[in-house]
Amino acid sequence: MANEWRALDYWDGKNDLNNDADALQDATEKAKTIQHSHEWIIVRDSEYVNVQTTDTQVALSLQLGIQAALAAVINITLGDTNQGKKVAHDLKQFMRTRQHNSQRTIIENSKEIQVTTTDTDIAVNLQAMIQILVALIGQLDVL
Amino acid sequence: MHILMVKEVLKGVKYVSNENSPKGIPNKVVDLLVTNILRKNGVNIEQAKNKLSEEDKQALKEMVEDLKAQVDEFVKQNSKK
């Protein structure tokens, strides 16, 4: 163990602005969650790590937009009835089944790392949601 | 029973589409699913259609087309990376 190379033990890189902070740096943990799709990026004992992930904020707002549209269609056509609620519930149920993907990225004991992750699950899920919406209004002869 | 069957179909589809960039589910499968859900809950489609005025239809059409364009753009952006 004593011979294990540790990224934070020593660093003579030109970007190093705060030498003292290096050894004291605690494990950093970052997690982003959107609905049931989890993305964990754990950065531990490392520095100068650049992380680029899927823009979950955009995905989330699109998701809310589609959900609102679905709710509007159901509300107009079926009203605020039990039947309407059940249809909405069943449709949501399906969307939920598409959201159990998770990915984990662990960066440990590293320096100057560039990470890019793509959450294809979010994209697929958004596509599925819009497909449901299109199919629903298609049935109602809107398209 | 119908719903169970559809889920089985989708499992297979997801497995295939997961191998590479997102391709989505075939529209026919989604149509089947939506039809099934409406039927299961005893929705009268003709009656539902009559509740939509022409303005409603136009507004819904524009809203959905706009959302679809945004989703397509998002999917394109994310598969480019």
Side-chain angles (χ1 to χ4, degrees), chain A residues 52-55 58-59 62 65-66 69 72-73 76-78 83 86-87 90-91 93-94 97-98 100 116-118 120-124 126-128 130-137 139-143, chain B residues 7 10 14 17-18 20-27 30-31 33-35 37-38 40-45 47-49 51-52 56-58 60-61 63-65 67-68 70-72 74-75 78-79 81:
Chain A
Q52 195 185 349
T53 66
T54 304
D55 193 345
V58 172
L62 275 170
I66 297 170
V73 175
I76 297 171
T77 52
L78 304 176
Q83 189 185 46
K86 277 184 182 164
V87 170
D90 284 351
L91 290 174
Q93 200 72 28
F94 167 70
T97 63
R98 305 202 49 79
H100 45 61
T116 307
T117 67
T118 307
T120 51
D121 201 50
I122 292 181
V124 171
L126 275 176
Q127 255 180 333
I130 198 78
Q131 276 179 293
I132 290 173
L133 182 60
V134 169
L136 184 65
I137 65 166
Q139 299 247 357
L140 297 165
D141 285 347
V142 168
L143 289 179
Chain B
K7 275 188 179 165
L10 288 172
K14 184 169 182 190
S17 69
N18 250 3
N20 247 313
S21 58
K23 290 277 192 303
I25 321 158
N27 281 330
V30 179
D31 273 339
L33 176 101
V34 172
T35 309
I37 288 176
L38 294 176
K40 193 188 107 186
N41 290 291
V43 174
N44 184 332
I45 294 282
Q47 221 171 44
K49 275 184 202 168
K51 292 210 176 137
L52 288 170
D56 286 340
K57 283 188 179 179
Q58 191 55 33
L60 282 175
K61 191 171 178 258
M63 182 171 67
V64 173
E65 275 169 358
L67 280 168
K68 195 174 180 322
Q70 286 185 61
V71 170
D72 288 345
F74 181 84
V75 172
N78 275 287
S79 50
K81 277 182 192 171

Side-chain angles (χ1 to χ4, degrees), chain A residues 97-125:
Chain A
T97 63
R98 305 202 49 79
Q99 294 177 337
H100 45 61
N101 193 29
S102 64
Q103 61 182 10
R104 253 169 221 224
T105 309
I106 299 172
I107 314 285
E108 202 170 352
N109 211 12
S110 309
K111 280 188 174 177
E112 289 196 298
I113 304 286
Q114 173 82 34
V115 185
T116 307
T117 67
T118 307
D119 193 340
T120 51
D121 201 50
I122 292 181
V124 171
N125 190 48

